[in-house]
Amino acid sequence: MLGNLPAGTALTELELAAYFSCSQGTVREALLQLQEEGLVRRQGHRGTQVSECTEAEAIEMFRVRQQIECNGIVRVLQAPSRTLMPDLKVLLAEMLDAAAAGDELGLASCDRDFHRRIFQDAQLPALDPILHRCLVHNHRFKISRSTTPRDLVATAQRHGFIIEAIESGDVAGTSAALRHHIATIVDLGPDVFSDTTQ
């Protein structure tokens, strides 16, 4: 996720088990999860390698994500649960804590939880794994393409606008806020979503 292991790096169960002082079974389960998320590729006799993080895939993942989340928010606002706003505020606080601690991986994890918590109220559970994979790749692409240190606090604070939009109950405004949030995650956003300005 953080780009510490370049694409193509071989990952062996035995070496990882020794490094983390755990069983090969635990490593195998972890690698299967990473494969589900698209972070590694397991290829039979060729073993497991860190997958590539290409711009072409990132663009399509951003498009799919925007489609899922912006359609989902319409359903969410038709009947938001009583726990949605408290849950989102807790997750925003966790994001801010991770950002203040310089924990980019923790921030990305809370960020994914935030977006998936909103989508949970859309009542479309079969789409959640797809959204999760898109979120993982969006974060990986953003982190791997950063050439300067990122302002993690500003990244966390961007989610406050989504909370405010949801609280307003304005479907069009909330959808627009979410669309803008997704389209401006990385600099290529306006090129991918031509109707959005940075």
Side-chain angles (χ1 to χ4, degrees):
M1 177 68 78
L2 297 178
N4 296 332
L5 297 175
T9 300
L11 303 171
T12 63
E13 290 180 9
L14 198 59
E15 288 177 4
L16 290 170
Y19 181 82
F20 289 107
S21 301
C22 64
S23 71
Q24 279 187 256
T26 299
V27 170
R28 194 172 301 120
E29 287 178 26
L31 290 174
L32 286 170
Q33 181 180 338
L34 292 172
Q35 181 183 19
E36 278 296 309
E37 294 175 343
L39 296 174
V40 302
R41 291 174 51 211
R42 292 170 64 89
Q43 300 178 301
H45 68 281
R46 293 183 64 194
T48 303
Q49 294 100 27
V50 176
S51 64
E52 289 188 61
C53 182
T54 67
E55 185 170 310
E57 278 189 331
I59 287 170
E60 295 310 319
M61 291 279 197
F62 277 113
R63 287 181 174 145
V64 170
R65 175 187 172 184
Q66 190 181 70
Q67 182 75 19
I68 291 172
E69 284 197 79
C70 291
N71 287 345
I73 199 67
V74 173
R75 295 174 58 89
V76 169
L77 289 176
Q78 288 171 354
S81 67
R82 278 182 266 140
T83 58
L84 177 61
M85 295 315 302
D87 289 349
L88 293 181
K89 288 175 181 176
V90 166
L91 288 165
L92 176 57
E94 289 175 5
M95 274 192 272
L96 289 166
D97 288 345
D103 182 0
E104 190 157 29
L105 194 58
L107 172 58
S109 179
C110 292
D111 187 326
R112 290 191 298 277
D113 290 345
F114 180 94
H115 287 275
R116 291 177 72 195
R117 175 59 191 92
I118 295 171
F119 192 70
Q120 179 184 325
D121 279 8
Q123 303 294 320
L124 299 168
L127 292 174
D128 180 66
I130 300 169
L131 176 59
H132 176 69
R133 189 163 184 163
C134 289
L135 289 163
V136 166
H137 282 270
N138 288 173
H139 288 134
R140 184 182 185 201
F141 183 79
K142 179 179 182 176
I143 292 168
S144 70
R145 298 304 162 107
S146 294
T147 55
T148 58
R150 293 175 41 230
D151 185 340
L152 300 184
V153 173
T155 296
Q157 288 172 336
R158 283 170 38 91
H159 296 79
F161 298 109
I162 298 172
I163 290 175
E164 290 171 9
I166 293 171
E167 282 183 314
S168 76
D170 175 14
V171 175
T174 304
S175 184
L178 195 53
R179 188 174 303 277
H180 181 268
H181 176 85
I182 296 167
T184 57
I185 289 171
V186 293
D187 291 340
L188 57 80
D191 296 327
V192 176
F193 308 106
S194 56
D195 59 337
T196 305
T197 54
Q198 189 85 7

